[in-house]
Amino acid sequence: MDNCLFCKIIEGSIPSKKVFENDQVLAFYDIQPAAREHVLIIPKKHISTMNDVTDEDDQVMAEIFAAARKIASELGIAESGYRLVNNCNRDSGQVVFHLHFHLLGGEKLGPLN
Ligand code: AMP
């Protein structure tokens, strides 16, 4: 997808600090961490928002959640706890329109809103 920041990260034309990758999913550290550990987990397929996920994406969504569990375990925060957040559209503050899940942890997190 032209002009999508996260598609460029997938292509490698914009650098990222990768945490996990397989054929369907990429995870990398957020450039502006909102917690001690802050990783973004994205599908390699361009999907703009959570509203655009379809039944055809069941497998990639399962891969995203499997990646989240694996990353949390590897970062050592699975037991202490973490949060998985998706922002969808304007009221949530979504800035990058390529589906992504924020994995946040490594410290006591504040309220959701
Ligand atoms: P959202 O507000 O849910 O759309 O979140 C977008 C996230 O992307 C923000 O937390 C940004 O800090 C993060 N971000 C923007 N550009 C980059 C980048 N080049 N590498 C890593 N994370 C980024």
Side-chain angles (χ1 to χ4, degrees), residues 58-110:
D58 283 354
Q59 182 60 35
V60 72
M61 295 303 284
E63 294 281 350
I64 286 170
F65 282 90
R69 293 193 298 273
K70 185 173 162 56
I71 294 162
S73 172
E74 286 176 0
L75 292 176
I77 61 172
E79 297 310 318
S80 52
Y82 58 93
R83 187 174 287 158
L84 201 58
V85 175
N86 168 253
N87 291 321
C88 181
N89 278 340
R90 187 184 56 237
D91 279 357
S92 73
Q94 183 175 4
V95 171
V96 178
F97 283 80
H98 181 124
L99 182 68
H100 54 280
F101 290 84
H102 299 255
L103 191 159
L104 300 149
E107 63 183 291
K108 184 95 176 149
L109 299 171

Side-chain angles (χ1 to χ4, degrees), residues 5-6 9 14-16 28-33 38 40 85-87 92-97 100 102:
L5 175 68
F6 287 174
I9 286 178
I14 291 179
S16 68
F28 51 95
Y29 282 102
D30 195 292
I31 206 166
Q32 267 192 301
H38 187 171
L40 298 173
V85 175
N86 168 253
N87 291 321
S92 73
Q94 183 175 4
V95 171
V96 178
F97 283 80
H100 54 280
H102 299 255

